[in-house]
Amino acid sequence: MKRVLVVLVVLATLMTALVTAPAAGASDRSSPRPGRAPAEELGPWAIGYETFELVDAARGDRTLPVDVWYPVDADDAVGVPKAQLDLFVADYELEYALDAPEPAGKGRFPLVVFSHGSGGFRSQSWFYMQHLASHGYVVVAPDHVGNTALDGFFGTQIPGSEMVTLRPQDISFVMDEILAMNEDDDHRYDNLINERRIAVAGHSFGGYTALAIAGGVEALGLEADERVDAIIPLAGASNGMSDVDLENIDIPTLFLSSTDDVTVPLDPGTVRPFDLISSRRAYRVDILSGGHNSFVNICDLVDVLLEAGLPDVLLAQLISSAEEGCGADLINIDEAHRLTNLYSVAFLNDVFNRPGRNARYLTDDYAEANELPVDLYDLRRGEPRLRFSGVDPVGPLRDFRYCEMITLAGLPNADGLIEATVWNSMFLNDCPQDAFDAIDTAEVAADLGVTAAVKNGPRYWVLDAIAAEGATAGGEIYDFGGIEMRSSATVLVNPANRAPYSQTSVERDTVFSFFAGREVPILTDPHGNEYVMQSYSLEVDPELGLADVTEIGGDLGLPPGWTFEARFLDQQLDVVDQDGIATVVQDDLRNTYQLIAPA
């Protein structure tokens, strides 16, 4: 009977440390890549802004003004004037966003659709839009016509009983239109967006909108939009959704809320959906002393519109809203905005771009170390629990960081093979880079009385889960220069150097699983054999991340007849060894691939 056995993964990567180094310069890249900049700081891209209208003929020509905020390459930002927001009775020059420059050329950026609050407007949280765009996200924000500030002024409101249906429909319609532009060769948004990485964020009533589009609302006949991969309700309302509707939400979710919210109190506004959703990955961040409008540029709006002479009827409404964002007893709104940006970017990067390296922000340890005024809750349900030499980790293997030490004993036998012991850091620590770099392999060999010691890694898994036959080897733990590793296996290896793209056979009986919905790198050799990437390495390109592995084709020195592609899995891929033998290859960057099946 098969059982999950992570330890045998070492056999898949054993040859990693024993291959020839790739050509110099293979990792040179000049353009920014998502997920690298600190989440709380402005990202590496310049920011473009433009606004236009979309008309939904299927809903009686319902016309929605839409803002788009998008990444811009630095060269295309030179000389472009700052963008101006139309704030009803005044124009406001944005601090960072530029007036409709050319979108970034090397794109395929994740899409975030933003839904404003009741009586708000599409640009209400421009601090947020700019920050996300600077980190490599395309942000699209429509006005929910009939539920905006101007509708309140002109008396054109649509009843809330209708808006609960119209709002999620607005978001799906906007997604349809933007993705159509993305597929249009003649449109400036052509190939700008990665249609498989879509999130919806929303404030207040917009938080309901995000929840509704993720779980559906059965009573209204609304179905979940399956294109949405993650949601971020900001002080979101959840009334109007049944327990079953909320239980239907099974995608990554970040709840950002305020402890002093009067309009949508934390309990039940956030507590109820957080407790009910079925997401395998969900976080709740409560900003201490935050108000309902701590997620809006409400204080800036007050300053600008007071100076512009806002009509009294709107002024009274604005002052009332400002009390829940700019009040003296609340957290400074700039700090609230910083926290909102920090956790949103960290969460989105954790889902879409660089999971292993952004998850640190989403921990109590990070909040405590940086004295952040938040309460953080991390909810994970239903994730595979894998066993490794008696240790129970908490989560799947995808983008799990590890490193290894391979110790070789004795001389080669008649077949040229040497006995090797594999030591692995998995589930003991995250293999700190400085400590790993500092390990002296000659000292390790002398201390252990072996012929040689070879470092392997750090590496990250691309696969999701591993099942294997057989028993776990070893269990002894040894401290290699401050990094504890567990003795995982003893195998016979050929230490001879091998060039990239050469096949290596590994004896094991395993099933490597890649879940449906993943985009995975595939190598195809001249004979039609296909190999799927099982792990990526930082040995050659220390900046490589999970989001990058599907884009590295142009950086590889592929031999004649070899091809590279990123393939979307519409069903789970299980890679099974052939009669106890796994065939693996490595590319120039020392990423490891396994043969899916012989051609």
Side-chain angles (χ1 to χ4, degrees), residues 149-158:
L150 285 181
D151 290 308
F153 177 68
F154 290 112
T156 54
Q157 302 102 317
I158 294 174

Side-chain angles (χ1 to χ4, degrees), residues 5-19 397 402 404 406 422 424 426 456-457 459-463 465-468 488-493 498 502-514 531-537 539 575-577 580-587 590-595:
L5 182 61
V6 178
V7 65
L8 291 186
V9 302
V10 299
L11 298 174
T13 57
L14 184 57
M15 298 305 295
T16 301
L18 305 177
V19 297
L397 286 177
Y402 66 96
E404 293 176 333
I406 303 169
V422 182
N424 191 293
M426 287 178 66
N456 179 22
R459 305 183 68 82
Y460 289 79
W461 288 110
V462 177
L463 52 75
I466 298 173
S488 305
T490 302
V491 296
L492 294 176
V493 300
R498 300 183 61 87
S502 296
Q503 290 186 344
T504 297
S505 296
V506 179
E507 293 186 8
R508 64 164 181 250
D509 190 0
T510 56
V511 178
F512 284 5
S513 295
F514 301 78
Y531 307 79
V532 60
M533 185 186 291
Q534 62 190 33
S535 67
Y536 67 90
S537 172
E539 293 176 90
V575 182
V576 183
D577 303 323
I581 300 294
T583 301
V584 299
V585 299
Q586 289 186 342
D587 62 23
R590 293 187 180 169
N591 306 314
T592 303
Y593 305 71
Q594 179 170 329
L595 178 66

Side-chain angles (χ1 to χ4, degrees), residues 269-545:
T270 294
V271 172
R272 174 175 170 259
F274 182 70
D275 288 343
L276 286 172
I277 64 173
S278 302
S279 304
R280 286 170 49 182
R281 188 164 25 158
Y283 301 93
R284 176 182 140 201
V285 178
D286 301 342
I287 297 178
L288 304 182
S289 298
H292 186 66
N293 289 321
S294 293
F295 307 100
V296 181
N297 283 94
I298 188 66
C299 306
D300 296 316
L301 279 168
V302 169
D303 292 342
V304 172
L305 297 183
L306 277 177
E307 184 177 343
L310 190 70
D312 289 345
V313 64
L314 282 182
L315 184 60
Q317 178 182 340
L318 184 64
I319 295 298
S320 175
S321 297
E323 291 176 358
E324 280 211 75
C326 317
D329 294 334
L330 297 180
I331 187 173
N332 178 276
I333 198 162
D334 291 334
E335 176 67 359
H337 290 175
R338 185 181 76 86
L339 294 169
T340 303
N341 289 336
L342 163 67
Y343 283 106
S344 294
V345 168
F347 170 73
L348 291 171
N349 283 344
D350 189 52
V351 174
F352 294 133
N353 288 321
R354 303 181 72 79
R357 303 183 193 185
N358 284 270
R360 67 185 179 93
Y361 295 109
L362 302 167
T363 63
D364 285 325
D365 288 346
Y366 183 84
E368 291 171 4
N370 291 275
E371 299 182 345
L372 301 181
V374 299
D375 287 332
L376 187 145
Y377 303 83
D378 178 355
L379 175 68
R380 294 167 186 258
R381 288 194 183 101
E383 294 192 341
R385 295 190 60 81
L386 310 175
R387 291 198 61 82
F388 175 79
S389 296
V391 178
D392 283 322
V394 286
L397 286 177
R398 185 172 171 83
D399 217 49
F400 196 104
R401 177 183 171 103
Y402 66 96
C403 56
E404 293 176 333
M405 184 69 67
I406 303 169
T407 56
L408 307 175
L411 298 173
N413 62 19
D415 296 321
L417 302 177
I418 293 181
E419 183 177 272
T421 299
V422 182
W423 305 77
N424 191 293
S425 70
M426 287 178 66
F427 312 125
L428 294 174
N429 54 75
D430 62 356
C431 185
Q433 189 67 52
D434 290 345
F436 188 66
D437 291 341
I439 295 176
D440 186 323
T441 54
E443 289 184 4
V444 169
D447 290 345
L448 292 178
V450 296
T451 305
V454 182
K455 291 189 284 188
N456 179 22
R459 305 183 68 82
Y460 289 79
W461 288 110
V462 177
L463 52 75
D464 289 284
I466 298 173
E469 297 281 7
T472 302
E476 176 188 358
I477 294 176
Y478 187 83
D479 189 318
F480 293 90
I483 299 180
E484 289 189 334
M485 299 189 194
R486 189 184 303 276
S487 174
S488 305
T490 302
V491 296
L492 294 176
V493 300
N494 185 345
N497 286 340
R498 300 183 61 87
Y501 307 102
S502 296
Q503 290 186 344
T504 297
S505 296
V506 179
E507 293 186 8
R508 64 164 181 250
D509 190 0
T510 56
V511 178
F512 284 5
S513 295
F514 301 78
F515 294 162
R518 302 296 196 197
E519 191 173 22
V520 295
I522 301 286
L523 286 176
T524 304
D525 70 17
H527 306 290
N529 294 306
E530 293 183 339
Y531 307 79
V532 60
M533 185 186 291
Q534 62 190 33
S535 67
Y536 67 90
S537 172
L538 304 188
E539 293 176 90
V540 177
D541 183 357
E543 297 301 314
L544 193 65

